[in-house]
Amino acid sequence: MVDLKGQYNQIKDVVNSSIQEVIETTSFINGPKVHEFQKNLEQYLNVKHVIPCANGTDALQIAMMGLGLKPGDEVITADFTFAATVEVIALLNLTPVLVDVNPDDFNINIEAIKKAITPKTKAIVPVHLFGQCANMEAIMKLAKAHNLFVIEDNAQAIGATYTNKDGTKAKAGTIGHVSSTSFFPSKNLGCYGDGGAIFTNDDDLAHSIRGIVNHGMYERYHHDVVGVNSRLDSIQAAVLDAKLPYLDDYCDSRRNAANKYDAAFKNINNIETPFRSGSDDSHVFHQYTLKVKGIDRDALVKHLNAHDIPCGVYYPIPLHLQKAYVDSRYNEADFTVTNQLVKDVISLPMHTELDDEQIEYITSTLIKFING
Ligand SMILES: Cc1ncc(COP(=O)(O)O)c(C=O)c1O
């Protein structure tokens, strides 16, 4: 699905020397590279605070801890996302409230959020799924009206830009009260191990979170709150800092590949290519996800694999039907979109190194299957 080796080969010298610098200085934990990367990412995103941490799941959990959410508080999020989003809500003994998504852009549905809000609701977690920004303007409006926090799960959309109706723009992950991201190797900005970060423009929240990531310490060996140990190690920061200047080019490469896929599938009736709900820069194609109609999706997966084409089904089971998250309060009629999407979606290889020959092989193999 990704070609991390091909990408590494393009930037080998800069990555190697950045890693070497860490080894020479032996500042493996919280070294200068972590601080440099933090500052460079703050500048790139135009956000006041980036707090690096160990992975994207921790980032979400710590963001929620920083907001002071309490057991029993209800947190609304999408039924169609990776489990990490709901997992941390449950881990903190908050009450996850899963809601349906849009059939076109796969993002959290605004009417479903409205329906789910109760006096116990404290936060909404939109996920910018597959690299496309959720409807942040509507979400922020709802949050303001109901006095709710918004935590953007930006694990799949770093580099995406959201455009408001008045034309003003902001990077995904800088619009809500706080955001989380993942630097998992296959992410649009990926390191060579695990990594994550929290973003916020709120000075007090940033201060609180900086202590939480470090055992609740604001002064050495003074533990004021219950915290965690969640650090981005310096070698991972070195990789990320070397790759950050390429992020916009990486996003462009992914968009170009997506446009080529779209063109190849233009006249194929059984395929719905990914819908773009905003301006071109609002989608960074972490995944290129098709909806297939009237054909056997699982047979298509087998066919592609048999032709050495990797593909993925993200996600095959709605979260509300996962054993860990079933809840008698859920009503199947409220999840018609997700229940259908899990049957229809298929994600094709998507990365920065896809070339025309590979795209032609993938698309022609897929079209041949459809045409029988
Ligand atoms: C939407 C979403 N949220 C959270 C995460 C968790 O990130 P990590 O794997 O770095 O813990 C992921 C990672 O796949 C993700 O896709």
Side-chain angles (χ1 to χ4, degrees), residues 54-60 80-87 127-130 153-157 180-187 193-196 286 315:
N55 56 65
T57 310
D58 276 8
L60 268 172
F80 191 59
T81 174
F82 182 57
T85 322
V86 68
E87 181 176 74
V127 182
H128 304 306
L129 203 74
F130 303 149
D153 182 343
N154 198 31
Q156 301 188 3
S180 60
T181 203
S182 163
F183 301 123
F184 187 81
S186 61
K187 293 289 193 257
D194 272 312
H286 176 57
Y315 296 93

Side-chain angles (χ1 to χ4, degrees), residues 91 104-105 178 188 213 250 293 301 317 320 327 333 352-353:
L91 260 178
D104 47 15
D105 68 1
V178 61
N188 290 30
V213 296
Y250 290 164
K293 298 280 175 197
V301 169
I317 305 171
H320 80 278
D327 190 317
T352 54
E353 312 305 307

Side-chain angles (χ1 to χ4, degrees), residues 106 130 261-262 265 270-274 287-293 297 300 304 312 314 341 343-348 362-363 366 370:
F106 312 131
F130 303 149
Y261 274 138
D262 280 0
F265 296 134
N270 306 64
I271 287 178
E272 216 176 285
T273 54
Q287 298 293 348
Y288 181 84
T289 303
L290 297 170
K291 282 197 280 180
V292 293
K293 298 280 175 197
R297 192 267 319 267
L300 173 60
L304 293 176
Y314 311 119
L341 287 177
K343 295 181 190 145
D344 295 345
V345 290
I346 177 167
S347 301
L348 300 184
I362 295 164
T363 54
L366 197 153
I370 288 178

Side-chain angles (χ1 to χ4, degrees), residues 115-164:
K115 210 173 139 190
I117 292 174
T118 75
K120 286 186 177 170
T121 308
K122 288 290 175 318
I124 307 170
V125 186
V127 182
H128 304 306
L129 203 74
F130 303 149
Q132 175 152 236
C133 297
N135 184 350
M136 288 307 295
E137 217 164 357
I139 292 167
M140 295 311 291
K141 200 169 151 198
L142 262 184
K144 196 167 177 200
H146 295 271
N147 204 18
L148 308 175
F149 293 119
V150 175
I151 305 154
E152 288 172 78
D153 182 343
N154 198 31
Q156 301 188 3
I158 195 157
T161 303
Y162 183 77
T163 306
N164 290 295

Side-chain angles (χ1 to χ4, degrees), residues 166-182:
D166 66 4
T168 54
K169 287 178 178 276
K171 286 282 183 202
T174 67
I175 304 160
H177 299 93
V178 61
S179 307
S180 60
T181 203
S182 163

